[in-house]
C-alpha cells in the first residue's frame, strides 16, 4: 500500500471515530424530523418519600438538592429503583424524596440521542459545537437534558438556586423546555457564596443573568460578545450578580460607594479560594462591566482548566436582570 493509500485509510478511521463521538446512538435512521412525546412519556413523582441520600450527592458545599442522572446512572442506584420502581430508567422525569427535612430531586435525563437535528420534541435547541466541528473532550455533546414543565421552575436545586434560574431566555411561553444541568457548577457557586459570606458579604439574594443557553440561542448572541463555543451550552457556566438589596444591580461589594468592575474583585477572590481548596472545580472567571440594567456581573464556570478574562465594555441583552 502506497503513502496515498495509507493516508486514505487513516483519514477513514479518523472520520469513523469522530462520527461515533458526535452522533446519537440511534442516528442511523438519518431522519431529522422532531419526535413527538406522548402525554405520558415524562414521569413525575414528587410524593414525600424517604431515601438514604449518599453524602456525596449534597456536594462539597452540602447545599445541593438535586442529581441529574442518565438512565444508566439511575439503574446503578439501587435505593432509587427500590423507591420508585425500575420503570424510571425508561421514562425521563423528576422524582423527589425527603432528605434532611427538605426535598431532594432526581432528574432522569432525556437522552441526547432523542434530539433530531436542532429539535428535541417541539423545542429548538440547535447544534452543539461537536455536531459541527471537531472539539476537545470537554466540548463533547451533553449526555442528556432535564425536561422542564412550567410547574417545575420553582424546584430548588440548592440553597440559593432554583431550576428556573438556568433556563435559556427564549420562547418564554413554550413548554416543556430542556436544560443541561451540571452539579459541579452549582456546587461551586454555593461554595463561592459561602466564601463571600465568610468575608462579610450579604449573599441572601443572587440573580442568575444567564445559565444554560441552547446553542441556537447562543449563536444569536455571538455578535454581542458570546463565545461560539460558550460553556453555557454545556450547563457548566453562569453569569450572575449579588443583589441582596433587590434593586436589580450588582451590590457595592467593596463598599466604596460605587458599582463597577472593582466590586467583582471580591467574587474573584472567592473563586480563587474555592479553586485552591477544590481543584476539581477549576474553571473560568470572567468579569464584565455590562452597560445593561444589571451593571457589572461575573461569569463562573467549571470547564476543567483555568481561564481568566475581563471586559470593560460589554452590552449583552441576555444578561438583563431576571426578577424572582
Amino acid at each position: 500500500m502506497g503513502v496515498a493509500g495509507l493516508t486514505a485509510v487513516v483519514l477513514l478511521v479518523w472520520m469513523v471515530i469522530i462520527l461515533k463521538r458526535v452522533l446519537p446512538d440511534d442516528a442511523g435512521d438519518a431522519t431529522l424530523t422532531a419526535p413527538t412525546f406522548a402525554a405520558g412519556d415524562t414521569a413525575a413523582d414528587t410524593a414525600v418519600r424517604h431515601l438514604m441520600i449518599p453524602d456525596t450527592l449534597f456536594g462539597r458545599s452540602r447545599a445541593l438538592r438535586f442529581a441529574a442522572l442518565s438512565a444508566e446512572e439511575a439503574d446503578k442506584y439501587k435505593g432509587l429503583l427500590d423507591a420508585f420502581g425500575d420503570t424510571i430508567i425508561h421514562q425521563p422525569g423528576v422524582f423527589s424524596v425527603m432528605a434532611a427535612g427538605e426535598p431532594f430531586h432526581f432528574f432522569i435525563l432525556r437522552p441526547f440521542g432523542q434530539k433530531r437535528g436542532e429539535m428535541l420534541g417541539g423545542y429548538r435547541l440547535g447544534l452543539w459545537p461537536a455536531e459541527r466541528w471537531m472539539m476537545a473532550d470537554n466540548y463533547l455533546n451533553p449526555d442528556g437534558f432535564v425536561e422542564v414543565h412550567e410547574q417545575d421552575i420553582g424546584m430548588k436545586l440548592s440553597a440559593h438556586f432554583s431550576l428556573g434560574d438556568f433556563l435559556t431566555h427564549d420562547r418564554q411561553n413554550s413548554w416543556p423546555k430542556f436544560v443541561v444541568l451540571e452539579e459541579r457548577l452549582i456546587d461551586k457557586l454555593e461554595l463561592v457564596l459561602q466564601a463571600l459570606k465568610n468575608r462579610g458579604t450579604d449573599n441572601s439574594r443572587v440573580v442568575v443573568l444567564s445559565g444554560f443557553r441552547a446553542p441556537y440561542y447562543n449563536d444569536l448572541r455571538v455578535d454581542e460578545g458570546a463565545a461560539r463555543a460558550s460553556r453555557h451550552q454545556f450547563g457548566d457556566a453562569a453569569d450572575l450578580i449579588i443583589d441582596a438589596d433587590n434593586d436589580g444591580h450588582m451590590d457595592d461589594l467593596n463598599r466604596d460607594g460605587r458599582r463597577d468592575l472593582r466590586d467583582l474583585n471580591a467574587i474573584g477572590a472567592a473563586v480563587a479560594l474555592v479553586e485552591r481548596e477544590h481543584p476539581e472545580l477549576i474553571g473560568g472567571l470572567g468579569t464584565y462591566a455590562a452597560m445593561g440594567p444589571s451593571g457589572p456581573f461575573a461569569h463562573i464556570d467549571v470547564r476543567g482548566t483555568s481561564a481568566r478574562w475581563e471586559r470593560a465594555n460589554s452590552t449583552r441583552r441576555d444578561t438583563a436582570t431576571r426578577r424572582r
Side-chain angles (χ1 to χ4, degrees), residues 195-318:
L196 287 170
K197 183 177 181 179
N198 292 339
R199 298 183 179 191
T201 296
D202 185 350
N203 69 358
S204 58
R205 185 172 186 272
V206 185
V207 180
V208 178
L209 304 176
S210 184
F212 168 66
R213 286 191 215 133
Y216 98 88
Y217 183 79
N218 187 76
D219 288 347
L220 298 177
R221 307 276 80 84
V222 169
D223 290 343
E224 300 167 11
R228 193 170 295 279
S230 170
R231 297 307 310 176
H232 287 273
Q233 300 168 97
F234 301 90
D236 62 9
D239 299 340
L240 54 80
I241 61 172
I242 309 297
D243 185 22
D245 59 9
N246 197 20
D247 68 352
H249 300 272
M250 174 71 83
D251 288 346
D252 180 14
L253 299 184
N254 64 357
R255 303 180 182 87
D256 67 353
R258 303 177 181 179
R259 303 189 191 200
D260 54 29
L261 273 171
R262 285 172 290 190
D263 292 310
L264 301 179
N265 290 338
I267 295 178
V271 168
L273 174 64
V274 169
E275 292 186 349
R276 282 198 303 272
E277 295 181 348
H278 304 281
E280 67 277 14
L281 297 179
I282 197 169
L285 170 66
T287 55
Y288 294 78
M291 303 303 291
S294 67
F297 66 91
H299 166 106
I300 299 173
D301 68 51
V302 287
R303 68 182 63 193
T305 56
S306 181
R308 297 292 186 268
W309 66 94
E310 175 181 303
R311 291 188 181 173
N313 294 290
S314 177
T315 302
R316 293 265 292 280
R317 284 182 294 174
D318 60 314

Side-chain angles (χ1 to χ4, degrees), residues 102-230:
E102 297 182 51
F104 189 99
H105 308 293
F106 290 94
F107 297 110
I108 308 303
L109 302 178
R110 188 170 289 282
F112 187 90
Q114 290 189 5
K115 189 169 79 76
R116 293 293 181 269
E118 294 193 351
M119 304 297 295
L120 180 56
Y123 189 71
R124 184 183 181 191
L125 287 165
L127 298 176
W128 265 259
E131 294 182 277
R132 294 182 285 189
W133 59 77
M134 174 64 177
M135 300 296 295
D137 283 348
N138 61 339
Y139 285 88
L140 294 181
N141 299 329
D143 290 334
F145 310 93
V146 173
E147 183 169 328
V148 184
H149 295 266
E150 191 167 10
Q151 65 269 23
D152 300 333
I153 61 175
M155 284 185 174
K156 295 293 289 183
L157 300 179
S158 67
H160 289 89
F161 302 103
S162 298
L163 185 55
D165 292 329
F166 294 90
L167 296 178
T168 298
H169 296 180
D170 70 335
R171 302 178 64 182
Q172 293 294 319
N173 296 319
S174 176
W175 302 95
K177 302 177 187 293
F178 295 93
V179 60
V180 179
L181 288 179
E182 173 57 63
E183 292 94 332
R184 290 183 308 120
L185 169 67
I186 299 172
D187 198 17
K188 182 177 183 177
L189 296 180
E190 289 289 354
L191 288 168
V192 168
L193 293 174
Q194 291 172 9
L196 287 170
K197 183 177 181 179
N198 292 339
R199 298 183 179 191
T201 296
D202 185 350
N203 69 358
S204 58
R205 185 172 186 272
V206 185
V207 180
V208 178
L209 304 176
S210 184
F212 168 66
R213 286 191 215 133
Y216 98 88
Y217 183 79
N218 187 76
D219 288 347
L220 298 177
R221 307 276 80 84
V222 169
D223 290 343
E224 300 167 11
R228 193 170 295 279
S230 170

